[in-house]
């Protein structure tokens, strides 16, 4: 049964395999105000775009949060435009498996959102800042019993040291650290997956950009 606040889990459990039908993608606070202050911000945006595109192709639900947007502005356009589906009359509706929420809590796991994501086995987490909102979100998800996969090339902080310490803390807590490409291949599981061919161009273009990322070290 769902309970909030969650109880801390004792010990470590084996991670279940990622599967599109039991996984949710959480995009944490990739907002315009942070563009000029976050280490490797453009790399975070590019990897988050990759994850969002892949999630849409595989029909993985997406949850996007914005931390106090009155002060920190909205989700960056490069990501936000992927979350809508244009209509023939020129309007656009939010992708049906996506929801956006404003928050002031540092964790994405507000009581309402915690109840929502507790229906899934696994969560993939990306966004900023690694040592604040990403860290607290991931710890809350672990306490809820989810397998947490932190996308290391899609999270960062203002200071690289804060990012490194946060990733170490998350690994110690039981979160799995992965890369954007590795997480996608885990979701696919098999080259015979019906969506694999559709995703190959995305994988190739992403690989070409990833070599220049400043987030290739933990």
């Amino acid at each position: 049964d769902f309970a909030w606040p969650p109880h801390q889990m004792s010990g470590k459990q084996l991670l279940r395999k990622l599967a599109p039908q039991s996984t949710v993608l959480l995009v944490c606070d990739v907002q315009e105000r942070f563009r000029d202050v976050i280490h490797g911000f453009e790399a975070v945006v590019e990897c988050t775009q990759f994850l969002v595109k892949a999630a849409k192709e595989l029909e993985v639900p997406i949850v996007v949060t914005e931390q106090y947007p009155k002060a920190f502005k909205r989700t960056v356009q490069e990501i936000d435009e992927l979350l809508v589906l244009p209509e023939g009359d020129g309007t656009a509706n939010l992708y049906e498996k996506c929801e956006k929420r404003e928050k002031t809590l540092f964790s994405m796991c507000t009581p309402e959102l915690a109840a929502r994501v507790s229906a899934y086995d696994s969560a993939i987490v990306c966004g900023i800042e690694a040592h604040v909102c990403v860290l607290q979100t991931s710890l809350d998800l672990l306490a809820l019993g989810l397998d947490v996969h932190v996308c290391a090339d899609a999270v960062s902080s203002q200071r690289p040291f804060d990012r490194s310490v946060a990733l170490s803390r998350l690994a110690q807590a039981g979160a799995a650290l992965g890369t954007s490409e590795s997480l996608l291949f885990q979701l696919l599981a098999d080259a015979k997956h019906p969506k694999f061919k559709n995703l190959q161009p995305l994988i190739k273009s992403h690989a070409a950009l990833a070599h220049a990322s400043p987030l290739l070290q933990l």
Side-chain angles (χ1 to χ4, degrees):
D1 293 339
F2 172 75
W4 189 261
H7 299 292
Q8 293 297 322
M9 296 177 63
S10 59
K12 292 185 178 180
Q13 61 180 6
L14 293 175
L15 293 178
R16 290 158 287 198
K17 289 186 177 181
L18 281 173
Q21 66 271 18
S22 58
T23 300
V24 60
L25 172 63
L26 301 184
V27 179
C28 184
D29 307 345
V30 188
Q31 293 161 250
E32 189 60 44
R33 179 59 63 87
F34 301 118
R35 188 182 292 273
D36 295 329
V37 296
I38 296 295
H39 171 67
F41 185 83
E42 298 305 325
V44 171
V45 171
E46 197 279 325
C47 284
T48 302
Q49 287 179 295
F50 174 81
L51 291 170
V52 169
K53 290 175 182 178
K56 289 174 66 176
E57 185 67 33
L58 296 173
E59 299 184 14
V60 171
I62 304 168
V63 177
V64 179
T65 56
E66 295 174 333
Q67 179 72 16
Y68 193 48
K70 183 178 179 180
F72 298 114
K73 300 185 179 180
R74 296 291 180 181
T75 301
V76 296
Q77 183 179 353
E78 300 98 309
I79 295 170
D80 203 49
E81 65 187 11
L82 299 176
L83 305 175
V84 297
L85 298 174
E87 303 293 335
D89 60 1
T91 62
N93 293 319
L94 198 65
Y95 167 59
E96 61 182 5
K97 286 183 175 286
C98 175
E99 61 179 285
K100 293 176 67 177
R101 292 178 180 265
E102 298 180 10
K103 67 183 179 69
T104 57
L105 196 69
F106 294 129
S107 172
M108 293 177 73
C109 289
T110 61
E112 298 80 14
L113 186 57
R116 171 105 161 73
V117 301
S118 64
Y120 299 96
D121 291 337
S122 306
I124 296 172
V125 183
C126 62
I128 54 180
E129 288 190 69
H131 67 297
V132 185
C133 297
V134 170
L135 176 70
Q136 294 186 36
T137 297
S138 299
L139 294 177
D140 281 346
L141 292 170
L142 287 167
L144 285 169
L146 276 74
D147 294 336
V148 178
H149 298 258
V150 178
C151 187
D153 54 348
V155 299
S156 193
S157 300
Q158 295 185 52
R159 294 173 293 274
F161 182 66
D162 284 330
R163 173 181 177 269
S164 296
V165 172
L167 291 176
S168 177
R169 170 75 173 90
L170 286 167
Q172 292 172 353
L177 304 185
T179 64
S180 49
E181 184 175 286
S182 174
L183 292 168
L184 173 54
F185 275 100
Q186 289 178 64
L187 288 168
L188 288 168
D190 194 322
K192 293 182 179 179
H193 192 289
K195 297 296 182 70
F196 181 59
K197 287 186 177 179
N198 290 352
L199 286 164
Q200 279 183 309
L202 176 65
I203 294 168
K204 289 180 180 178
S205 62
H206 178 63
L209 291 170
H211 293 294
S213 172
L215 304 178
L216 298 183
Q217 294 184 340
L218 297 181

